Amino acid sequence: MKLSRTTEGIVLGIISAVFYGLNPLFALPLYEEGMNPDSVLFYRYGFAIVLLAVLLKLQRQPLSLPRKDIVPTAVMGLLFSASSLFLYLSFLYMDAGLACTILFVYPILVALIMFLFFHERLSFTGILCILLALSGILLLYEGDGSGTVSTTGVVLVLFSSLSYAIYIVGVNKSSLKRLHTAKLTLFALLFGIIIYAVRLDFLASLQPVPSAGAGLRLFAMAFFPTIVSLVCMTAAVHRIGSTVTAVLGALEPVTALVIGVMLFNETITPKITAGVILVIGAVTLIILGDTASKAVKGWFAHIAANIAGRHGGE
């Protein structure tokens, strides 16, 4: 059975979010082995570039970029890479869990960019989904009381979120929309890796891979939360738009939470359970689309009518 374009987009958006949420599964053990963020990110991007190049050759796609797409692809790649860099820098100033929670303001930024610059109508249901998802993400954050919040840290996270939001909009609203999805991802990563090469003193400070296990984790990180997630995210944006894809990204921290519970012995609390329910509710409303929109509007209309009736009878 052939899926509709919208259904395909939703499925791809969910896959993208879930696979992106696998980052902690691979990153935390690498840090425990002494690797720094710049080296980890350089290997992550580098392995992904090689894998994508092989994939494109197998598909007999030319490994070339039209001249008119070079500049916009470079901008998108640097934006995506900058998003990762700002986030990791924020960890120097504040608790990493709180930083990742604040990062999820990007759906709001995506919605605002689409509304202000592309005149996309923001529906009531869309606003409700964003608020539900944000509330759920805030409940998912479990601090240990030792984390601190600084102005510098918050500003860095907001820059990370803004960079990612512009990337999501850019791949949908620029000439890159017509570019082969895997090719766009390949060249975006190729331009993005420049940031880490420079920060690593043009690779003079690049750490060697400490073990065979670390090499496997880096390879897995390049494939699952990088290639699969980015390719699916780009394809989803092309099918269902930037805002809906961004809201589906709420599944990212839920995936990270599940991994934490299953592999890192983290506990589930009533607060976390409530957060998961809110996130799943937001994603469900997005998936139901027009059906959910009509139901929500009818529900609020019913409440308004009851309130009006009570006041009228007084």
Side-chain angles (χ1 to χ4, degrees):
M1 186 179 79
K2 184 174 176 59
L3 299 177
S4 68
R5 187 172 177 82
T6 299
T7 304
E8 283 182 357
I10 290 172
V11 171
L12 288 166
I14 291 173
I15 292 173
S16 172
V18 169
F19 275 94
Y20 195 80
L22 295 177
N23 267 307
L25 176 64
F26 307 117
L28 294 179
L30 291 170
Y31 294 154
E32 290 174 0
E33 290 195 53
M35 295 193 72
N36 60 49
D38 285 304
S39 291
V40 169
L41 288 168
F42 179 85
Y43 284 120
R44 173 188 171 187
Y45 278 46
F47 286 165
I49 289 167
V50 173
L51 288 171
L52 281 169
V54 172
L55 174 63
L56 287 170
K57 288 299 289 183
L58 291 175
Q59 294 179 342
R60 297 184 178 179
Q61 288 284 336
L63 293 179
S64 59
L65 195 64
R67 183 174 298 179
K68 63 182 177 62
D69 292 328
I70 292 177
V71 172
T73 304
V75 172
M76 291 300 104
L78 293 174
L79 279 170
F80 184 78
S81 188
S83 177
S84 299
L85 179 60
F86 284 133
L87 181 62
Y88 279 94
L89 287 176
S90 74
F91 295 164
L92 301 175
Y93 300 93
M94 63 194 299
D95 183 273
L98 182 56
C100 291
T101 301
I102 297 173
L103 179 68
F104 199 75
V105 301
Y106 78 82
I108 291 179
L109 297 177
V110 169
L112 287 175
I113 292 171
M114 295 300 295
F115 175 75
L116 293 174
F117 296 99
F118 299 98
H119 310 292
E120 180 180 279
R121 186 178 65 86
L122 189 58
S123 67
F124 175 79
T125 305
I127 296 173
L128 178 62
C129 288
I130 291 173
L131 293 177
L132 284 174
L134 282 172
S135 301
I137 299 301
L138 289 173
L139 288 174
L140 290 180
Y141 172 67
E142 283 283 306
D144 59 6
S146 62
T148 57
V149 179
S150 74
T151 301
T152 302
V154 171
V155 169
L156 286 169
V157 177
L158 291 177
F159 272 125
S160 175
S161 186
L162 179 61
S163 299
Y164 190 54
I166 296 174
Y167 176 85
I168 292 177
V169 174
V171 297
N172 187 39
K173 293 297 182 179
S174 68
S175 61
L176 302 179
K177 187 174 182 177
R178 299 186 300 273
L179 200 61
H180 187 281
T181 304
K183 183 183 290 188
L184 168 59
T185 305
L186 167 64
F187 282 97
L189 293 175
L190 193 59
F191 285 114
I193 202 173
I194 294 173
I195 289 181
Y196 305 111
V198 172
R199 285 179 54 82
L200 289 166
D201 301 321
F202 296 96
L203 305 187
S205 301
L206 178 65
Q207 294 175 306
V209 179
S211 66
L216 288 174
R217 292 187 188 95
L218 287 166
F219 184 85
M221 180 182 284
F223 184 72
F224 294 109
T226 308
I227 292 177
V228 175
S229 180
L230 271 179
V231 169
C232 287
M233 186 273 285
T234 302
V237 167
H238 290 167
R239 287 165 173 78
I240 56 177
S242 305
T243 304
V244 175
T245 303
V247 174
L248 290 173
L251 291 173
E252 294 168 12
V254 173
T255 303
L257 170 66
V258 172
I259 291 172
V261 171
M262 295 179 64
L263 300 179
F264 298 107
N265 299 317
E266 296 180 3
T267 57
I268 291 286
T269 65
K271 179 182 174 184
I272 290 177
T273 302
V276 171
I277 291 172
L278 286 174
V279 169
I280 298 299
V283 172
T284 302
L285 285 176
I286 284 291
I287 292 173
L288 292 177
D290 291 339
T291 302
S293 181
K294 292 176 183 176
V296 169
K297 288 179 180 177
W299 184 58
F300 275 94
H302 179 70
I303 293 175
N306 284 338
I307 293 174
R310 288 175 187 173
H311 284 294
E314 292 177 357

